[in-house]
Amino acid sequence: MSTEDFTDDMDAIRLIFFDECDEQLTLLEEELTALEDEPENGEKINTIFRCVHSIKGGAAAFGMEDLVRFSHLFESVLDRFRSGELSVNAESIRVFLKCKDALSDIVSDFKNGGSTYEVAPEITADLEHYLGSDASEPEPASEEVRTEDIFGMSFAPVKIEIDAPSEQQFSIVLTVSPEFYERGDDIRNILMALEGLGQIKVQVDSDAVPLLADISPGQSYLTWQILLTTEKSRESIDEIFDWCGDDLQAVITSVPEEAEQTKIPSAPVAEEKTDPPVRKGTERKDSATVRVDIQRIDKLVDLIGELVINQGAIQSQMRRNKVPGDSFLGSVVTAQEQLIHELQENVITMRAYPIKTVFQKLGRVVRETARLTEKQVRLVLEGEDTEVDRSILEKLSDPLTHMVRNAIDHGIESPEVRAQAGKDPEGLLRLRAFQRSGRIIVEIQDDGAGLDPDRIYEKAVEKKIIEKGQRLDREEIYSLIFEPGFSTVAEVTDVSGRGVGMDVVKQSLQQINGRIFISSSKGKGTIFSISLPFTLSVIEGIIFKSEGQDFVVPINNVSDTIIFDNSKAFHIGEGKYGYPYRDGYLSVIYASDLLDVPSDKKNQKICFVIENENEEKMAFIVDKIIDQSRFVVKNLEDNYRKIACFSTATILGDGNVAFILDVEFLFGELLKKRESSLEERV
Amino acid sequence: MIGEKALVFSLGNQEFSIPISAVKEIKTWSKATPFPAAPAFVEGVVNVRGSVIPLVDMARMMGVSENSNEKKAIIFLKNKDKVIGFSVSNVTDISDLDEEEFKPLPELSSDDLKYFLNGIQPVADRLIFSVNVDALFEGSLQ
């Protein structure tokens, strides 16, 4: 193996380590938040301890000394809480949360190639305070020195564990039930695990094996007697057997050192393990998971997409050959379609993550923002288990962060103001996720001052976004905050004024087909709701024909479909037409014009009333509707670049490509045309 | 690099070559799905086993000939994670690629063509123009 390969491998392992760190940190945050509600729960402290411990373990393996040092310090403090020497209260949870933030800082620093990291002294001082609380010298004068001491000391115990000379011997007698093998386990795994702890001597007792004629193939007749010489504690042996549950009976006895040379006791009766089933229930609440490279799942999604396309091909061929739907072939193909549909939904959920991963990062944002703005904020999370496609989740983090900052900075009032208004000085920020009619809704709700329509209006006039005197309803006024240029340098604060306004939030949500709505009431608070698709890889759409070519329009952009009567269309200006709809008129866009093909517009019979995010409508004229269906979305930028009018494409049953209409782009174009014609006149 | 092979194809009556390492697939020419506002040399997009891939008329893009020649084959090339299909008149054969034998293009050849070519490789009584894959992709994505 060349050195290059070696470093590649190391890098890969490092990446896995960081992945695991992220998982542990998420779990840590989760447990810490839960600890606030039930500080007495010892199991939570245990889990927290284990998280920090496993980060420390990994860090030691990669020589990240600063990380080892800090996590060790943290761990030592947690150990005091775990052992019951100290008890958890609001203050200690605050310190733990700070430490967790510091840990994630160190981890991300190392992840980005850093090699040293200084933890803020006040955090280590806080921790050190817990360690020193029963020490005899609590004088603050020696604080500085003691910090040094702790740092100096902290690395040592890791080594002590290795150097500890106190070898012990245990006798272990194993018997297994048939279920043990049925679960695919193997006694060798246990022996190997034990060997990892120290030296083992194994004897197999085969006395119980009956004559061949009497053997019941499912039964296990063997007993293993093991003499283990190890430096590790009794707990580490128990840990190995924890995994096996009831299917494996292990009788573990500690053998006194002087008895080293004695034979393995033939009938040891001692401590019986009685509690593993109970512990199992409380300790491992995580369901079994398998770590799979996300690219493999992406590939799976792609392959199933192709399966869907092939299915379409079969069905269109059957229609062409007039195969009746109730024939045998017809019913098999219909059943197959159902199966593929289910398969597709299942695989897409494999790519889904609970929104928790994003929400939990926000816990920190809330704490920091609250500190910077000197406000008191309580964060409530709801529906954290709601699952969202990974590709969407990735792009959700930034806008949500920004909105949470905004809600605290601009929404929630200072404790004094709140008290005056008769509110709880502690503001409430609620993040809620749930599913509604096939979309994911994420709400950010605060109980702050609410949006002030008059102020927004004034400001929009000031920034020349609207003209003075323009009549707008309440919703329209609220949506002004999403206009580019609404939030500007004038209101830069430490927190939310980082040069990104709500317009950027809206734009990034649009990229993932998200929509945002505001409801607010003055003095009571504001709710921003974001509506997101469940996945970006499949859309529901209507396939239509224009000038012989097939296209797809996403169904959520179509608000109505009507028969188009060309004689009712009227000329407005050069190349511009209007069409009556309900009690008003819509701008008309002919699909054939988009395609640059000469058309006599004779075949155009159908009018889609299409709608964008802002609920603006236009009439989009096509030749005919073919079908409504689900389409696998293919990104054009994968192999090409952005093209006008169509951001994505799909593959039809006949193998041809059909473009998916980008409705937002279309409205943008319409607007540009309007503006350029204005300029021409000027 | 000595020892590498090149795929030889024709555009009209001229012969060109491309390093075989860049070739992903060769298919019979079929009509692409056109899209609006595409550059004149882009025929549209095609579906290759579930991927949507742009199809470029190589002769038109390089300015080899004004009127589109008969197109019989599509060569799919891969460069920097992107796959693009190029329609050509025909795929002829495979030859050795030897950059040391490359001769520079004559001074008066058109600028467009020069941009896309590495040089001329004389093979027996034939003249084979060696195409620069990076330039092909840059040109196609404009």
Side-chain angles (χ1 to χ4, degrees):
Chain A
M1 186 191 275
S2 73
T3 42
E4 207 169 78
D5 286 343
F6 181 70
T7 48
D8 275 358
D9 278 355
M10 275 309 275
D11 284 348
I13 298 171
R14 259 175 85 102
L15 281 181
I16 293 174
F17 166 64
F18 287 125
D19 274 357
E20 281 170 358
C21 274
D22 287 343
E23 277 169 26
Q24 297 291 354
L25 286 167
T26 312
L27 183 61
L28 192 58
E29 167 110 33
E30 197 177 309
E31 293 291 310
L32 281 171
T33 322
L35 194 62
E36 285 181 319
D37 299 329
E38 33 177 350
E40 301 305 316
N41 193 333
E43 195 50 53
K44 297 248 177 295
I45 277 283
N46 270 333
T47 314
I48 292 166
F49 180 85
R50 274 198 298 275
C51 291
V52 178
H53 184 78
S54 57
I55 291 175
K56 183 182 88 172
F62 288 99
M64 301 167 184
E65 285 186 27
D66 288 321
L67 185 52
V68 173
R69 208 169 291 161
F70 183 72
S71 45
H72 181 76
L73 182 63
F74 191 10
E75 187 189 75
S76 320
V77 171
L78 286 169
D79 198 34
R80 294 225 159 179
F81 284 90
R82 194 166 70 140
S83 64
E85 274 178 70
L86 297 169
S87 54
V88 178
N89 57 25
E91 169 63 14
S92 51
I93 291 173
R94 195 189 57 80
V95 172
F96 293 163
L97 281 168
K98 266 198 201 165
C99 291
K100 183 250 140 195
D101 292 347
L103 264 186
S104 40
D105 281 344
I106 308 175
V107 169
S108 64
D109 195 61
F110 278 108
K111 194 174 177 175
N112 297 328
S115 55
T116 54
Y117 189 91
E118 288 281 332
V119 180
E122 68 263 19
I123 298 177
T124 46
D126 275 345
L127 281 177
E128 184 218 351
H129 168 74
Y130 284 115
L131 277 186
S133 63
D134 66 341
S136 50
E137 38 172 26
E139 308 105 79
S142 61
E143 194 99 328
E144 202 72 29
V145 185
R146 280 219 325 251
T147 313
E148 290 288 321
D149 277 353
I150 301 257
F151 272 170
M153 286 282 291
S154 61
F155 210 31
V158 186
K159 284 183 183 158
I160 284 170
E161 241 176 72
I162 302 158
D163 297 342
S166 57
E167 285 201 345
Q168 264 188 298
Q169 284 199 327
F170 296 95
S171 154
I172 304 162
V173 179
L174 298 178
T175 45
V176 298
S177 62
E179 287 81 26
F180 181 78
Y181 293 106
E182 275 168 24
R183 285 194 299 117
D185 215 333
D186 191 329
I187 202 80
R188 276 180 298 184
N189 297 337
I190 302 285
L191 296 179
M192 273 155 67
L194 286 173
E195 205 171 12
L197 296 178
Q199 254 194 336
I200 58 168
K201 285 181 195 160
V202 187
Q203 272 187 359
V204 181
D205 180 357
S206 57
D207 288 353
V209 179
L211 290 172
L212 189 58
D214 303 330
I215 274 187
S216 144
Q219 195 66 38
S220 166
Y221 299 99
L222 299 178
T223 307
W224 286 265
Q225 300 188 341
I226 301 151
L227 185 68
L228 168 67
T229 312
T230 178
E231 302 158 355
K232 296 281 162 54
S233 65
R234 169 69 188 258
E235 283 73 45
S236 37
I237 303 176
D238 285 345
E239 255 172 46
I240 293 174
F241 293 109
D242 271 358
W243 292 100
C244 310
D246 291 338
D247 306 332
L248 177 87
Q249 279 79 46
V251 180
I252 308 168
T253 25
S254 174
V255 183
E257 206 140 356
E258 52 268 32
E260 201 182 327
Q261 293 308 315
T262 53
K263 257 197 110 188
I264 300 165
S266 52
V269 232
E271 287 178 64
E272 185 102 18
K273 278 177 62 71
T274 49
D275 56 349
V278 184
R279 282 176 59 189
K280 204 173 166 185
T282 53
E283 245 181 42
R284 301 199 192 90
K285 62 167 204 168
D286 297 16
S287 48
T289 53
V290 179
R291 200 180 282 266
V292 182
D293 191 343
I294 190 72
Q295 278 167 359
R296 293 193 189 183
I297 296 180
D298 288 349
K299 179 75 193 165
L300 212 53
V301 172
D302 285 352
L303 284 173
I304 291 172
E306 281 171 50
L307 211 54
V308 172
I309 292 159
N310 269 357
Q311 176 74 19
I314 294 172
Q315 278 163 326
S316 72
Q317 201 58 42
M318 278 171 58
R319 270 198 295 273
R320 198 164 299 162
N321 293 335
K322 302 202 168 57
V323 178
D326 56 359
S327 65
F328 182 70
L329 181 59
S331 60
V332 170
V333 170
T334 311
Q336 167 121 331
E337 183 185 18
Q338 192 56 36
L339 283 174
I340 294 176
H341 193 109
E342 260 177 59
L343 190 62
Q344 188 176 38
E345 284 185 347
N346 267 291
V347 172
I348 286 171
T349 56
M350 277 166 74
R351 225 170 33 171
Y353 280 59
I355 200 161
K356 201 188 285 181
T357 46
V358 172
F359 273 11
Q360 244 134 28
K361 278 185 207 146
L362 296 172
R364 172 173 199 178
V365 175
V366 170
R367 286 195 294 279
E368 278 179 355
T369 316
R371 189 173 54 81
L372 282 171
T373 54
E374 293 171 355
K375 285 172 185 172
Q376 293 171 15
V377 183
R378 187 157 61 93
L379 176 66
V380 176
L381 302 179
E382 277 175 37
E384 301 135 278
D385 292 327
T386 310
E387 291 190 323
V388 185
D389 195 86
R390 187 183 61 107
S391 50
I392 294 174
L393 214 52
E394 278 169 357
K395 294 197 172 104
L396 198 56
S397 186
D398 285 351
L400 277 184
T401 304
H402 191 77
M403 291 172 76
V404 161
R405 283 205 189 109
N406 261 342
I408 298 173
D409 196 19
H410 303 308
I412 291 172
E413 317 90 325
S414 64
E416 301 79 50
V417 174
R418 290 181 66 90
Q420 270 172 23
K423 289 187 190 175
D424 184 345
E426 189 181 50
L428 179 74
L429 185 69
R430 188 198 303 273
L431 288 175
R432 198 156 85 99
F434 55 97
Q435 282 201 27
R436 191 201 288 153
S437 55
R439 285 177 79 89
I440 311 288
I441 314 288
V442 182
E443 284 183 355
I444 298 130
Q445 180 183 8
D446 66 66
D447 68 344
L451 294 176
D452 182 344
D454 299 338
R455 263 201 63 203
I456 295 173
Y457 191 93
E458 269 170 43
K459 202 171 158 192
V461 172
E462 199 181 298
K463 304 277 180 203
K464 298 197 169 68
I465 295 166
I466 52 171
E467 273 169 39
K468 206 175 164 73
Q470 202 169 331
R471 285 181 74 91
L472 296 171
D473 63 32
R474 187 179 284 256
E475 265 65 45
E476 284 170 324
I477 294 175
Y478 288 158
S479 62
L480 287 173
I481 65 171
F482 296 117
E483 290 297 320
F486 182 82
S487 52
T488 51
V489 202
E491 53 158 346
V492 165
T493 62
D494 258 3
V495 186
S496 31
R498 296 195 181 178
V500 243
M502 290 298 275
D503 57 322
V504 179
V505 168
K506 188 171 184 182
Q507 266 173 29
S508 41
L509 288 175
Q510 269 172 7
Q511 274 177 20
I512 45 177
N513 285 335
R515 295 180 225 148
I516 185 162
F517 308 94
I518 309 172
S519 65
S520 181
S521 102
K522 204 171 168 183
K524 288 199 180 134
T526 309
I527 304 178
F528 288 93
S529 6
I530 300 168
S531 150
L532 297 163
F534 179 69
T535 174
L536 294 179
S537 52
V538 179
I539 64 151
E540 189 81 26
I542 300 175
I543 176 163
F544 66 86
K545 244 187 188 12
S546 178
E547 300 302 314
Q549 197 173 334
D550 294 335
F551 298 91
V552 174
V553 55
I555 202 141
N556 51 13
N557 289 120
V558 179
S559 74
D560 205 353
T561 308
I562 49 178
I563 303 287
F564 179 65
D565 178 356
N566 205 12
S567 63
K568 283 191 195 159
F570 55 92
H571 194 250
I572 307 173
E574 198 196 332
K576 285 188 258 322
Y577 297 88
Y579 193 73
Y581 179 65
R582 298 198 178 151
D583 49 356
Y585 300 97
L586 297 176
S587 281
V588 174
I589 285 195
Y590 292 96
S592 55
D593 288 350
L594 284 184
L595 302 169
D596 304 329
V597 285
S599 163
D600 53 9
K601 300 190 167 84
K602 252 190 211 150
N603 294 325
Q604 301 185 322
K605 299 265 161 61
I606 301 293
C607 167
F608 286 123
V609 178
I610 58 173
E611 191 179 69
N612 69 355
E613 300 284 328
N614 305 330
E615 290 175 26
E616 293 171 300
K617 290 186 172 62
M618 70 159 91
F620 187 70
I621 314 302
V622 307
D623 293 0
K624 70 173 188 186
I625 294 177
I626 297 174
D627 202 358
Q628 179 180 334
S629 183
R630 287 154 60 90
F631 298 95
V632 179
V633 177
K634 301 281 173 184
N635 202 337
L636 293 168
E637 284 172 80
D638 286 352
N639 288 308
Y640 192 49
R641 55 170 170 81
K642 275 197 166 65
I643 63 176
C645 302
F646 309 104
S647 50
T648 50
T650 189
I651 295 164
L652 303 176
D654 58 7
N656 280 331
V657 180
F659 291 102
I660 301 172
L661 203 64
D662 182 346
V663 170
E664 294 301 323
F665 182 91
L666 218 56
F667 276 94
E669 284 297 287
L670 197 69
L671 213 66
K672 258 191 241 161
K673 266 189 194 161
R674 222 182 279 158
E675 276 162 10
S676 65
S677 67
L678 270 177
E679 275 163 28
E680 275 165 29
R681 270 190 295 165
V682 176
Chain B
M1 198 209 294
I2 297 169
E4 216 198 326
K5 300 276 183 188
L7 179 76
V8 182
F9 57 91
S10 60
L11 299 175
N13 48 17
Q14 278 172 284
E15 283 193 299
F16 296 83
S17 77
I18 204 102
I20 209 135
S21 56
V23 179
K24 200 169 173 279
E25 189 167 352
I26 300 166
K27 278 181 77 171
T28 324
W29 187 86
S30 59
K31 198 181 171 326
T33 307
F35 57 88
F41 56 79
V42 177
E43 296 176 33
V45 293
V46 288
N47 157 33
V48 182
R49 283 190 304 285
S51 295
V52 176
I53 294 172
L55 181 60
V56 171
D57 184 329
M58 201 194 283
R60 267 188 111 155
M61 181 172 73
M62 300 203 302
V64 173
S65 64
E66 288 296 309
N67 44 348
S68 35
N69 296 291
E70 189 196 7
K71 290 175 278 199
K72 279 194 180 152
I74 303 174
I75 305 175
F76 291 94
L77 300 178
K78 187 171 181 172
N79 188 26
K80 294 175 191 129
D81 287 339
K82 281 194 200 288
V83 177
I84 296 180
F86 294 92
S87 52
V88 299
S89 303
N90 216 341
V91 175
T92 341
D93 62 357
I94 287 171
S95 80
D96 288 319
L97 185 70
D98 190 350
E99 283 182 17
E100 282 171 21
E101 282 182 27
F102 283 2
K103 305 276 184 287
L105 289 170
E107 280 304 311
L108 288 170
S109 42
S110 91
D111 283 346
D112 268 3
L113 202 54
K114 246 184 171 170
Y115 172 76
F116 289 109
L117 300 181
N118 291 324
I120 306 175
Q121 187 180 8
V123 177
D125 57 344
R126 298 149 71 186
L127 283 180
I128 299 177
F129 296 92
S130 165
V131 179
N132 181 332
V133 180
D134 287 337
L136 267 189
F137 273 69
E138 246 168 68
S140 304
L141 294 173
Q142 268 167 18

